[in-house]
Amino acid sequence: MQAVYDHATGNIFMISIPRDMGIDINKDCLKFRGAINQSYLKGQAAKCEGGGLQVLKDVVEMVTGIKSQYHVFISLDVFQEIIDTLGEENNKGEVGIYVNNPKDVWDVYPNTWGGWENVFFPKGNLFLTPYRALQYGRARQYTSDFDRARRQQLI
């Protein structure tokens, strides 16, 4: 995802890139044709200058045509820590965030035992704990990458 700040209006625009978008990387350190979600690991493995992060930044800039001046790399654990740190407390004393979910979402999500669990997010204003926010933003087995991108932007 690339967030773009418009200095003239003060607006922020978010551009979501489908994780399976096909890309071509043609660098001295790496020749690769495949899905964009592999560009970071391929860049790391090829020991490109700046590592996988620089390769990923270059690919995102190539796809959107917008230069990235800053970046944030967020792991799944850090994603939950951010919500735990910046979230608010609901009336049950739980910490999380509120999201206005535009439609019912039924999906499955990988559990810690190597299987899958059913997840449901009803339409409307939802309170999501850090783990539920992670499920909401990552679930994509029965919805599209575009639906998932919209949910990630809401978070």
Side-chain angles (χ1 to χ4, degrees), residues 80-90 94-98 127-128 130:
Q80 292 181 84
E81 288 177 23
I82 290 169
I83 292 176
D84 195 40
T85 301
L86 300 177
E88 59 186 288
E89 201 171 289
N90 68 7
E94 301 168 313
V95 174
I97 59 171
Y98 287 94
F127 181 81
L128 302 173

Side-chain angles (χ1 to χ4, degrees), residues 40 44 50-58 71 73:
Y40 173 82
Q44 284 290 96
L53 183 58
Q54 187 59 51
V55 170
L56 180 59
K57 284 177 65 174
D58 293 345
H71 67 270
F73 198 88

Side-chain angles (χ1 to χ4, degrees), residues 1-3 53 56-57 68-75 78-79 82:
M1 182 180 304
Q2 187 178 42
L53 183 58
L56 180 59
K57 284 177 65 174
S68 295
Q69 295 178 349
Y70 306 99
H71 67 270
V72 176
F73 198 88
I74 301 173
S75 69
V78 170
F79 174 87
I82 290 169

Side-chain angles (χ1 to χ4, degrees), residues 11-154:
N11 293 327
I12 296 175
F13 301 92
M14 288 186 279
I15 303 168
S16 292
I17 301 169
R19 67 185 303 278
D20 293 326
M21 172 181 262
I23 49 104
D24 290 321
I25 299 172
N26 190 12
K27 295 177 161 285
D28 291 338
C29 62
L30 176 63
K31 307 283 189 246
F32 173 71
R33 174 176 278 170
I36 192 170
N37 69 341
Q38 298 176 37
S39 57
Y40 173 82
L41 289 176
K42 296 290 184 182
Q44 284 290 96
K47 298 187 183 337
C48 293
E49 185 176 335
L53 183 58
Q54 187 59 51
V55 170
L56 180 59
K57 284 177 65 174
D58 293 345
V59 169
V60 168
E61 290 172 5
M62 176 186 68
V63 168
T64 65
I66 300 170
K67 178 94 174 118
S68 295
Q69 295 178 349
Y70 306 99
H71 67 270
V72 176
F73 198 88
I74 301 173
S75 69
L76 302 180
D77 292 336
V78 170
F79 174 87
Q80 292 181 84
E81 288 177 23
I82 290 169
I83 292 176
D84 195 40
T85 301
L86 300 177
E88 59 186 288
E89 201 171 289
N90 68 7
N91 58 1
K92 296 178 185 174
E94 301 168 313
V95 174
I97 59 171
Y98 287 94
V99 173
N100 189 10
N101 186 27
K103 64 181 182 178
D104 288 345
V105 176
W106 287 272
D107 216 313
V108 293
Y109 189 79
N111 63 30
T112 56
W113 307 281
W116 297 89
E117 64 181 294
N118 293 318
V119 293
F120 173 65
F121 302 95
K123 177 181 178 178
N125 195 32
L126 304 178
F127 181 81
L128 302 173
T129 62
Y131 182 69
R132 288 287 287 163
L134 184 65
Q135 290 177 317
Y136 182 75
R138 289 190 69 215
R140 64 176 175 81
Q141 297 303 310
Y142 297 116
T143 60
S144 70
D145 269 344
F146 297 107
D147 288 336
R148 183 173 86 149
R150 282 184 209 97
R151 291 193 307 270
Q152 289 172 350
Q153 290 178 359
L154 289 172

